Amino acid sequence: MSRIKQCFDNLEKSGKKALIPYITAGDPGPDYTVTLMNALVNAGADVIEIGMPFSDPMADGPVIQLACERSLAAGTSVKKVLQIITEFRQGNKDTPIVLMGYLNPIEFFGYQAFSDSAKEAGVDGVLLVDLTPEEATDVVECFRENEIDLIYLLSPTTTPERAKKICDLASGYVYYVSVKGVTGSAELDVDSVKKHVDSLREITTLPIGVGFGIRDAKTAAAVSKCADGVIVGSVLVNAIAANKDHQKEYIADALEAILAPMRKEMDA
């Protein structure tokens, strides 16, 4: 059983929902990331999504675009991201790690080579934003061979027919984008999210994580009432940006101060 499935199974048994924070690897520098990942776990993270920096992150708003720029400027490559995960795994064998990014750097690295290296590093899932189901056949097999979950995005505009096709390919969990737009772009309509999540449950038994627009403990708790996982990104990346000139321990404390209240409110 994969770490992701085990995590969601354990949470379901305990009546809790997954808290899934996102940060960009190598932001503000590669030597910061493991410390920040450990801080997220300390604050109650169940799964961690790690962004692989890319020069043209089309699904991301300015907050994560700038994080990618800082990371790339600091010399973060795909190989370096995998080294970061390897280092994290030396102290944490349990927390599932999902790499989130775009096809271009992975294609350049080589799908099979990337999948093999990700498995060796201790990666549990991969979300490639611009990988469509129609183009996924060969890629899916590379990851399935290494028991790495391939996670897909679903949006408010995804038709039921296409959602079914995507869910049939996905594993681990599916990521429902709660707003029309890029990351960090809009206010959250929880009633609309619930309606869409309920409709997705009619076509998949996979856990459903909801992201985009979750900024505080109140919205995290509200979303957790209908979703299996709450995905939090831009507010954390903003905190990294605001404190990028401080020591990594200071930034770690800032992330814990944001995430811990979300965990507490979700569990209340």
Side-chain angles (χ1 to χ4, degrees):
M1 183 183 295
S2 73
R3 265 185 290 244
I4 293 175
K5 179 168 174 47
Q6 186 70 62
C7 174
F8 277 101
D9 284 354
N10 290 343
L11 287 166
E12 185 178 17
K13 288 174 186 175
S14 63
K16 295 184 177 181
K17 303 298 180 70
L19 181 55
I20 309 175
Y22 165 99
I23 59 173
T24 303
D27 177 30
D31 59 333
Y32 283 69
T33 306
V34 171
T35 297
L36 301 185
M37 291 171 72
N38 286 324
L40 297 174
V41 174
N42 291 340
D46 298 295
V47 179
I48 301 177
E49 290 185 355
I50 294 294
M52 297 179 286
F54 180 49
S55 57
D56 186 22
M58 65 188 77
D60 294 302
V63 172
I64 294 177
Q65 287 180 20
L66 289 170
C68 286
E69 289 181 13
R70 290 190 297 271
S71 177
L72 291 169
T76 308
S77 62
V78 172
K79 184 177 180 180
K80 185 62 182 176
V81 173
L82 295 171
Q83 290 172 351
I84 288 168
I85 304 307
T86 299
E87 183 182 347
F88 175 77
R89 281 283 176 240
Q90 292 172 4
N92 184 314
K93 306 293 186 186
D94 300 321
T95 304
I97 300 298
V98 174
L99 295 183
M100 184 172 180
Y102 295 83
L103 269 174
N104 188 282
I106 308 309
E107 188 172 307
F108 183 79
F109 197 97
Y111 294 130
Q112 191 65 57
F114 175 77
S115 176
D116 293 344
S117 298
K119 176 68 172 179
E120 185 177 356
V123 172
D124 302 286
V126 172
L127 195 167
L128 297 171
V129 174
D130 49 348
L131 177 64
T132 65
E134 292 79 10
E135 298 173 331
T137 306
D138 294 339
V139 183
V140 167
E141 289 308 313
C142 287
F143 291 118
R144 281 181 178 162
E145 286 173 13
N146 282 314
E147 299 180 320
I148 294 173
D149 288 317
L150 194 58
I151 294 154
Y152 273 92
L153 297 173
L154 295 164
S155 80
T157 59
T158 305
T159 64
E161 295 78 17
R162 187 163 183 80
K164 178 70 166 61
K165 186 175 184 178
I166 290 170
C167 289
D168 287 346
L169 274 179
S171 60
Y173 60 94
V174 292
Y175 185 141
Y176 176 69
V177 176
S178 63
V179 298
K180 299 174 186 177
V182 295
T183 53
S185 65
E187 293 297 323
L188 195 63
D189 181 345
V190 177
D191 290 337
S192 175
V193 169
K194 183 180 186 305
K195 178 182 176 182
H196 282 92
V197 168
D198 288 346
S199 67
L200 288 174
R201 293 202 189 282
E202 296 177 5
I203 62 173
T204 184
T205 59
L206 288 171
I208 300 169
V210 173
F212 287 43
I214 298 167
R215 296 182 170 90
D216 53 30
K218 181 180 178 181
T219 51
V223 169
S224 73
K225 297 291 192 295
C226 64
D228 302 299
V230 176
I231 303 165
V232 185
S234 292
V235 66
L236 297 171
V237 178
N238 251 334
I240 294 172
N243 297 288
K244 66 182 186 297
D245 296 325
H246 289 277
Q247 296 294 319
K248 51 190 169 184
E249 292 77 14
Y250 187 94
I251 301 177
D253 288 344
L255 297 188
E256 288 194 42
I258 294 168
L259 205 65
M262 293 186 181
R263 175 83 274 167
K264 182 177 179 180
E265 195 70 21
M266 286 169 61
D267 292 347

